[in-house]
Amino acid sequence: MSSRKTRSFFLWPLVASACFLLSVAFFPNNPYKVTPQKDLDQREDPKQKLTSHNSTKVKMGCDFSKGKWVPDSGGPAYTNATCRTLMESKDCLKYGKDTDYLNWRWKPNGCELPRFEARMFLDIVRGKRMAFAGDSVARNQLESLLCLLSEVETPLDVDKDAEDKFRTWYFKSYDFTIMKLWTRFLVEETERMINGSASGVFDLHLDRINTKWTEKLPLINYLVISDSHWFFRKNYLYEGGKLIGCTFCSEANLTDLGINYAVQRAFRTALKYLSKCEKCEGLLTFLRTFTPAHFENGTWNSGGDCKRIRPANEGDVSFSGTDWELRNAQVEEVKKLQVEKPKGAKHFMLLDVTRAMTMRPDAHPGSHWNNKWMGGYNDCLHWCLPGPIDMWNELLFALLKEDTP
C-alpha cells in the first residue's frame, strides 16, 4: 500500500474541505510505490435488508480480516441524495465513476460479516461519544459512518475549528456525539521551515504524545485510532529528546531507521498513553489497520492513476512488503496490550482491514472527484462514498455488538 503525501498548506477560506482532505494524506516527494494489481471478474449476492438483532448476532471467534470480495446486487446503503454530510471529494458517482465498484461485498472465510444496521448501531451508542483520531483517511471512515447513520437521522454539525481539524456532529434523538480529532503522526511534531516556508519535513518525537488530540479524550467512550500516511516522507526521528535517525533520507552520520520503525514507535507511544490515561475511564479503543493507496503509472503528483474496475483476487496481490509490515506493527502493539492487561488497562480491539482493502484498487475516486483546486491530480488514496470503506464500519458495528451485553 503506498501513500501519497500532500502539502499541509491550504488557503482555508477558499479551499475548505475537499482540498484539505487531500492535503492531509498526499505528500510531496513520496518514494514509495505500490505494485500494480491484476484485473479480475466476479459478481452477485442477496439484496441488502435490515435484519433482527438475533439474526445478526456476531459469530464469536470469526476472523473478519481474512476472506474475499464476492458479488453483491444489494446496492449501496445510502446515496448522495440520502446523505447530506457526504463530501464532494468522495462523491465519485456524481463525478462520473462507473458503478461496478459498488457491486461487491466482503465475505470472511467461514462466517458472515453482518450488514450495517443504523438504528441498532445508534441504540448501542445512545448517550455516548465516539471519536476518530488520525489523518484524512480516518476522516474518510468517519464520513462513511455519518452517511450510514443518516438513513435514520441526519446529524447536527455542532462545532469545528477554523481549519476543520477538530469537528463535532450530534445525533439529537440518540444523544450520540461523533468527533474528528485530526493528527498527522499521533506523536509530537514540528515542521521544519525553509526561508519562512513550510518544508513538508517534520521532526518527530516518537516517545512524546501529541496532546492536541489527546486533550479531547476525556468523556470519550469509543475511540477509533488510525494513522501512517504522513510517515511516507523525509522525517527526522527523536527519542529522549535526542536525534536518533530519519526516514527516507540519505545523510552522512544519520541512519535511515525506516518507516516501519517510526510507525511502530508512534503507535506504541499512543497506545501506552491510552492504556494509562486516568481521565479516559471506560474508554474502548479500536485500532483500524493501515490501508493502501493504489497509484499506478506514477505517484500522486507525477501522473499516477488508479483505473482498475474490479476487485483483485487474493492470488493477484502481495500480502508482504511495506504495507503488510506496517499493518503487522500496528497489530503487534495492540496484541501486546491485550496480553499484558496491566491493572486498570483500557480495552483495545482491532479493525483489521488491510487485507480486504489491498484487494480494492477499483474503489478510489481517481479522477472522479471535485478537484477544481488541484486540477489534474488523481486521488488513489481515499475511498469513494458509498463504497467498500463502508465495510470498516460494518466491522465496527459487529465488534460493538460483540462487546455489548
Side-chain angles (χ1 to χ4, degrees), residues 16 26 90 140 180 212 219 229 236 250 373 381 400:
F26 290 165
K90 311 303 183 307
N140 206 173
K180 177 181 70 169
K212 289 182 179 179
L219 303 180
H229 296 292
Y236 292 91
S250 55
W373 298 108
L381 171 62
L400 279 174

Side-chain angles (χ1 to χ4, degrees), residues 33 59 104 138-139 152 202 213 251 309 329 344 385 394 396:
K33 190 174 187 304
K59 178 181 177 181
W104 303 88
R139 165 67 186 258
V152 171
F202 291 80
W213 68 271
E251 299 183 22
I309 60 173
L385 297 176
E394 289 183 323
L396 176 62

Side-chain angles (χ1 to χ4, degrees), residues 14 56 106 113 125 221 258 267 283 306 327 365:
L14 297 175
T56 57
W106 181 246
L113 178 61
V125 298
N221 305 100
F267 271 89
L283 179 66
C306 41
R327 175 263 179 197

Side-chain angles (χ1 to χ4, degrees), residues 169-184:
W169 292 263
Y170 182 62
F171 290 83
K172 186 176 181 180
S173 299
Y174 292 84
D175 188 25
F176 173 53
T177 300
I178 294 182
M179 301 176 66
K180 177 181 70 169
L181 310 179
W182 189 83
T183 172
R184 294 183 184 94

Side-chain angles (χ1 to χ4, degrees), residues 166 186-188 208-216 273:
F166 298 90
L186 301 175
V187 294
E188 187 177 302
R208 299 179 189 172
I209 200 71
N210 182 336
T211 58
K212 289 182 179 179
W213 68 271
T214 58
E215 68 184 10
K216 312 288 184 179
Y273 175 90

Side-chain angles (χ1 to χ4, degrees), residues 212-231:
K212 289 182 179 179
W213 68 271
T214 58
E215 68 184 10
K216 312 288 184 179
L217 290 179
L219 303 180
I220 293 295
N221 305 100
Y222 306 107
L223 175 67
V224 181
I225 185 174
S226 59
D227 221 338
S228 294
H229 296 292
W230 279 87
F231 288 85

